[in-house]
Amino acid sequence: MAKSVRGSSDLTDDHLNEHPVITPFTWFGLDVGGSLTKLVYFEPENIPDDDDQSSEIKKAIRIIHKYLSGNTAYGDSGVRDTHLEIKTQLGEYTGSMHFIRFPTAAMPAFIELAKSKNFPLLATTICATGGGAHKFSNEYETQLKMKLRKIDELSSLIRGIHYMESINHNESFYFTSPTIKEKCQKLNYNFVHPYPYLCVNMGSGVSILAVTGPKTFTRIGGTSIGGATFLGLCCALTGCNSFEEALELASQGDNAKCDKLVSDIYGGDYKKFGLPGHLVASRLVTVIPHLVG
């Protein structure tokens, strides 16, 4: 599986299958990132009966399904994003796909929760991606008796983009006149023939991929300044404790009080290059005392 910083990769089954699936159906998958862990859970409309399972196990499985789909918060930091729920079909099953997230730092608590709810009854193997799929692999095997089927995260990303577009054509969109509030519109993007396109994956860090076909891509760059940088700065500057709290504080703020705008330099728009006065010229300049004014 190609994982070079500057190299190409393809999404053939041989690249994605590091070892065979042990169970006939996996109910959820994990993306264990540097800051957040994302859990995708598939809730079938009709839970299939397995004649080989005891009535006690069948009952436990139904309890697990009810717990996951019947709540929007789990433990101290787990959240289910209800607005992301998707009706879809996986194999022979029709159902809903749910998206749950929690801080990766809370992984020990998640493992304890999984044990208390008998999650291993759902599957003995979980498809997992992200660096944490390697970091926490031993904990899952020793504490939960579950194997992590590790899949390259960038390959998963590209396949995920194409899968989501195939089941929801409104998933891709763009904005017209984004810098003019009165004219700005959100429009659907026709993803039928998108190649080549750039994919900027903004997580704890950032990876930039050039996607040249349905199964081929090249990682052409990236940066260590990403979501974790934003959250770290917010925590250090404001004392907030979560991403949600940081976003709430940002929504109440006024960046003009700390950023230098084009109008601060030119006294208005920079018309020669079509730059509006409200465009940010430099970040955080006004918090430096001797540069204010």
Side-chain angles (χ1 to χ4, degrees):
M1 184 179 297
K3 300 179 75 173
S4 60
V5 173
R6 287 182 180 270
S8 62
S9 182
D10 64 75
L11 306 182
T12 60
D13 291 338
D14 289 342
H15 280 72
L16 292 176
N17 294 326
E18 294 189 358
H19 53 75
V21 180
I22 296 175
T23 53
F25 191 87
T26 301
W27 296 108
F28 51 89
L30 287 170
D31 177 5
V32 189
S35 303
L36 281 178
T37 292
K38 287 74 68 178
L39 183 149
V40 180
Y41 164 67
F42 180 73
E43 177 195 10
E45 291 180 353
N46 296 302
I47 300 174
D49 285 323
D50 187 333
D51 293 336
D52 295 330
Q53 292 176 340
S54 68
S55 59
E56 184 178 351
I57 292 179
K58 292 177 182 178
K59 180 180 178 181
I61 289 176
R62 282 173 169 77
I63 290 174
I64 294 171
H65 280 292
K66 184 177 180 180
Y67 173 73
L68 289 175
S69 60
N71 292 281
T72 57
Y74 313 90
D76 294 329
S77 54
V79 176
R80 178 162 63 90
D81 292 310
T82 56
H83 64 286
L84 297 178
E85 180 181 333
I86 298 173
K87 293 285 186 181
T88 187
Q89 183 162 346
L90 293 182
E92 61 186 281
Y93 303 111
T94 299
S96 299
M97 194 176 291
H98 302 281
F99 298 87
I100 300 170
R101 57 186 164 82
F102 59 90
T104 300
M107 184 62 75
F110 172 76
I111 290 176
E112 288 301 316
L113 176 65
K115 282 196 293 186
S116 70
K117 299 296 181 182
N118 291 317
F119 275 27
L121 290 177
L122 284 179
T124 57
T125 299
I126 310 173
C127 292
T129 189
H134 301 270
K135 180 178 180 180
F136 295 104
S137 179
N138 184 62
E139 282 87 341
Y140 274 79
E141 290 200 27
T142 57
Q143 298 185 45
L144 292 175
K145 309 303 180 187
M146 303 176 83
K147 291 183 179 295
L148 295 184
R149 182 189 175 205
K150 305 174 190 69
I151 299 176
D152 177 66
E153 60 182 304
L154 298 183
S155 298
S156 298
L157 169 68
I158 300 304
R159 290 192 73 155
I161 290 173
H162 299 163
Y163 172 75
M164 294 303 295
E165 173 61 25
S166 71
I167 65 173
N168 182 8
H169 298 306
N170 295 324
E171 189 68 26
S172 301
F173 59 87
Y174 67 99
F175 291 96
T176 61
S177 304
T179 61
I180 306 174
K181 186 176 180 180
E182 296 76 16
K183 295 183 179 180
C184 183
Q185 285 185 300
K186 178 181 176 181
L187 300 176
N188 290 337
Y189 176 73
N190 188 340
F191 207 75
V192 176
H193 301 292
Y195 311 106
Y197 69 85
L198 286 179
C199 172
V200 181
N201 184 36
M202 302 177 68
S204 297
V206 178
S207 286
I208 303 173
L209 313 176
V211 185
T212 53
K215 295 184 177 181
T216 56
F217 69 88
T218 301
R219 186 180 188 279
I220 58 176
T223 174
S224 60
I225 300 175
T229 311
F230 166 76
L231 182 57
L233 285 171
C234 288
C235 290
L237 294 171
T238 69
C240 68
N241 296 306
S242 69
F243 189 70
E244 286 75 17
E245 190 177 355
L247 291 181
E248 176 61 26
L249 289 172
S251 69
Q252 300 174 24
D254 180 2
N255 71 301
K257 294 181 179 179
C258 59
D259 295 336
K260 187 172 283 292
L261 308 181
V262 169
S263 60
D264 295 325
I265 301 173
Y266 289 93
D269 299 341
Y270 190 1
K271 296 181 180 179
K272 179 178 180 179
F273 292 102
L275 301 179
H278 60 78
L279 192 69
V280 175
S282 184
R283 297 287 185 187
L284 299 176
V285 173
T286 61
V287 299
I288 306 174
H290 68 277
L291 292 181
V292 177

